[in-house]
Amino acid sequence: MKTVFITGGTSGIGWALAQRYLSAGYQVGIGSRTPDKEGHDFAPYTHLSVYSVDATDLTALKDVIHTFSKGQLDILIAGAGNYTDSALEHISWQETNAMIDNNIKATLNALEVARELMQNKGGTIACIASISTFLDYEEATIYTRCKQAVLAITKAYRRAYRDKGIKVIAIHPGYVATPRLMELNSDDLSKKQYVITPTEAAEIIYQGITQGKQLIVFPKKMYRLIRCLQLLPKGILQRIMHKKAKWQKQN
């Protein structure tokens, strides 16, 4: 039976991915700091292993994934992350540090654990960035900057691991109606463009990984819009993005 481990796998896209891989016959391991936070009933899933683990702690993450995989891991999805809507307001040191740790350090840790397990055996590592990484402007949020770092790390490790039989994939979701996004927007996503469900996102990611894609970006309409916006002069793009952020903050 093939194996997949998903960090951040007990909520949002991660939990939807866990269910998708279970339906495909995989042995699935998921980990997060608080697995019971969303009240999921894990009991019915006989091929699911659930772990309480902090993905920013390399030693703890290594122990958990080694315990789950028993030395054989086919896919590792680095889905642990942190998102704070900081487009218009001051962001604290605590929030910034949490985003750096959970988006960058957690991804680095996953890449390191996977290297040990997959070297000379083959396997796939999928790192979740964001579609916002393709829109580069002066006042981009700390979240976008963190995800741009994730993309840069993914590219660097793809080159480093290519001779070891390990595929490294970058995943760039747009707006996905996760519990966290709903919470930050008071359960109203009407001002978010091209929103899809976690189940829809999981299907796109599952198919992309199965097909061996190096880059998975969705929704396509949003990606095309971003590509067009990026052609604008920097000053005009900055004004558009600032007005958009203000509009989204209005009740």
Side-chain angles (χ1 to χ4, degrees):
M1 181 179 289
K2 290 187 176 181
T3 58
V4 56
F5 193 93
I6 306 166
T7 65
T10 62
S11 65
I13 297 173
W15 175 233
L17 277 167
Q19 294 176 90
R20 182 62 182 89
Y21 275 98
L22 285 165
S23 72
Y26 278 70
Q27 184 72 37
V28 177
I30 56 176
S32 72
R33 289 191 184 94
T34 53
D36 298 324
K37 183 179 180 179
E38 293 183 11
H40 298 304
D41 183 9
F42 302 123
Y45 302 99
T46 57
H47 295 297
L48 176 68
S49 300
V50 183
Y51 301 90
S52 176
V53 63
D54 181 351
T56 69
D57 184 331
L58 177 59
T59 301
L61 186 65
K62 186 183 299 185
D63 289 346
V64 160
I65 296 180
H66 276 263
T67 298
F68 163 74
S69 67
K70 298 178 177 63
Q72 178 59 49
L73 185 65
D74 295 293
I75 302 170
L76 176 55
I77 300 176
N82 181 280
Y83 172 66
T84 299
D85 191 2
S86 60
L88 289 179
E89 55 205 68
H90 174 73
I91 189 166
S92 70
W93 178 91
Q94 290 83 358
E95 289 172 325
T96 301
N97 190 59
M99 277 194 278
I100 290 171
D101 271 359
N102 290 286
N103 291 300
I104 300 174
K105 187 176 181 181
T107 300
L108 277 170
N109 288 349
L111 285 160
E112 175 60 21
V113 175
R115 180 192 61 79
E116 295 178 0
L117 286 167
M118 295 177 179
Q119 187 168 245
N120 302 320
K121 297 178 183 177
T124 299
I125 311 166
C127 302
I128 297 185
S130 168
I131 202 168
S132 68
T133 61
F134 297 109
L135 193 57
D136 189 18
Y137 60 102
E138 186 67 24
E139 295 183 15
T141 64
I142 187 66
Y143 172 79
T144 293
R145 296 306 186 194
C146 285
K147 289 301 188 180
Q148 288 172 340
V150 168
L151 176 58
I153 291 165
T154 300
K155 289 179 176 178
Y157 273 77
R158 180 184 299 141
R159 179 180 179 183
Y161 286 1
R162 65 187 177 193
D163 294 332
K164 296 176 172 59
I166 303 172
K167 296 178 183 177
V168 183
I169 295 171
I171 300 171
H172 299 266
Y175 289 122
V176 180
T178 62
R180 179 60 174 159
L181 188 64
M182 296 294 288
E183 176 189 350
L184 288 171
N185 291 274
S186 303
D187 293 331
D188 180 9
L189 301 183
S190 60
K191 292 185 177 181
K192 302 297 185 184
Q193 296 79 32
Y194 309 117
V195 180
I196 65 174
T197 67
T199 300
E200 291 171 325
E203 183 63 29
I204 293 168
I205 294 168
Y206 172 82
Q207 293 297 337
I209 292 175
T210 301
Q211 294 164 16
K213 290 184 178 180
Q214 189 169 282
L215 183 68
I216 303 170
V217 187
F218 60 91
K220 293 300 183 185
K221 287 183 179 179
M222 191 172 188
Y223 183 47
R224 287 194 290 269
L225 174 61
I226 287 174
R227 292 288 296 272
C228 290
L229 287 171
Q230 198 61 56
L231 296 174
L232 295 172
K234 293 289 186 180
I236 295 175
L237 175 59
Q238 178 60 44
R239 288 196 293 273
I240 290 172
M241 297 307 297
H242 186 71
K243 288 182 178 179
K244 173 178 176 285
K246 289 182 66 176
W247 172 70
Q248 288 184 334
K249 286 293 183 182
Q250 292 172 353
N251 293 327

